[in-house]
Amino acid sequence: MEQNKKQETSMENIVSLAKRRGFIYPGSDVYGGLSGTWDYGPLGVALKRNIMQLWWKMFVEDRDDMHGVDAAILMNQKVWQASGHVDTFTDPLVEDLETKQRYRADHLLKDAGIVVDGLSLDDMTRVIKEQGIKSPNGNELSEVRTFNMMFKTTVGPVANDESISYLRPETAQGIFTNYKNVVDTFYPDLPFGLAQQGKAFRNEISPRDFIFRSREFEQMEIEYFVDPATWEESFEHWRQQVWAWTKALGLSDEHVHELEVAENDRAHYSKRTIDFEYDFPIGREELLGLAYRTDFDLNNIQRASGKNMEYTVKGTNTKFVPHVIEPSFGVERSVMAVLSSAYREDEVNGETRIYLALPAHLAPVRYAVSPLVRNKPELVAKAREVYDVLKKKYGAVMWDDNGNIGKRYRRQDEIGTPYCVVIDFDTLETDGLVSVRDRDTTEQRRLEVEEL
Ligand code: GAP
């Protein structure tokens, strides 16, 4: 079925490689974990940073119409009241009447093959009853009700209604609350955008599918402020930019799909949304979103704060509250898409080989350098020399002299290192060249160090 098209790699392969090779571990692993949280290991954090830096370069540094911001995670509770999150940032919840375990009603319905788009809470309750849908433990389910996904906390030594705050469920509001500050200090021409990367938190009812649905994750968001008369043009511009982004991640176009979200399935603030979906190993699911948020947020802020959010077009008396196009990217889903698109298995010398065909600009390690054997001081010294040169140039270079050369290649293949550089006796005695092995073809060439 087109809807459930899966890539060949299984989720188990990705999760297992991620843990085995130090990309991603379960959060609080040593204490048995904490559901919906994940920790990045040395290679995972390198991959994640490469993705985030690429995004920042493409969408902030390389453009004239963008500025970056980095707002506090904890914000005044009025932010979340005005934005509508306190009232409407909810998911449908059902409870197993025996075990009291809670589930997302739409997930249970989807798992039972029922199309949930556009169903109200009452509809879901009715379908559960009519179709006799039970909990995963086979028990009766409660009525469906809403569950607010924001993590609540209190700020300061006194816990009362005034000190309530929330861990932000989206980074976007940190941008909207700084819109006026940036306009007053930078006077940007419309259209212009503000970009932010950072943590977001959602108390997901049932976190699942590895890092795909977690309770703590990172977003990379852009709020692009436009003259309302031109919103369609800017929406189209960002639609094309999203495609440029998925290409830069190395995702093949045939696995990325646009889904025009129907009106009753859109977020409360959106007049048009396209979900960009990817063929993950778990099926076709949302990778990122592109929404037309209108003047919903700035108008709400204006109303709730009493501050004027109008933009005055330079040299004129024309004033209006700008409208907003929002491309919203999830870091974890980008990491998961990159890992699953890069995962390969083939056969080398009669043995199964696993490798990650990561684009070189995202690979956690660019070059691995080693002496052919580690007990020949002259080979080790020359290899160290080459390593120092490459390390200075690229940073992401690994010294790897563990085990025999075959084992090193396998290890580097699994972490997606594009090239392994080996210093052998020919380097010292014959040509001065180093051997460079290509991860994808396994072919070796002899090159000058300067050619790397
Ligand atoms: N500001 C708009 C917004 O937050 P969203 O569709 O709720 O929109 C944007 O989230 C992106 O954030 C998603 O497309 C996804 O990549 C990521 N995301 C959302 N919830 C997530 C979760 N629980 N775990 C991991 N990523 C998530």
Side-chain angles (χ1 to χ4, degrees), residues 250-278:
L251 308 182
S252 103
D253 283 359
E254 61 168 323
H255 290 305
V256 181
H257 313 273
E258 288 188 17
L259 174 77
E260 186 76 45
V261 180
E263 187 179 347
N264 47 7
D265 290 323
R266 288 198 292 259
H268 59 280
Y269 48 72
S270 174
K271 272 241 170 94
R272 184 181 177 195
T273 298
I274 295 179
D275 280 349
F276 283 77
E277 300 187 319
Y278 182 70

Side-chain angles (χ1 to χ4, degrees), residues 314-334:
K314 276 181 202 157
T316 73
N317 284 326
T318 311
K319 287 176 199 270
F320 52 82
V321 175
H323 281 216
V324 169
I325 307 298
E326 179 195 64
S328 174
F329 306 73
V331 175
E332 277 63 23
R333 291 190 192 177
S334 306

Side-chain angles (χ1 to χ4, degrees), residues 170 202 204 212 214 219 221 269 286-288 326 328 330:
E170 61 167 12
R202 295 183 188 179
E204 296 282 353
F212 181 84
S214 358
Q219 289 186 319
E221 296 203 293
Y269 48 72
E286 180 184 332
L287 171 65
L288 61 98
E326 179 195 64
S328 174

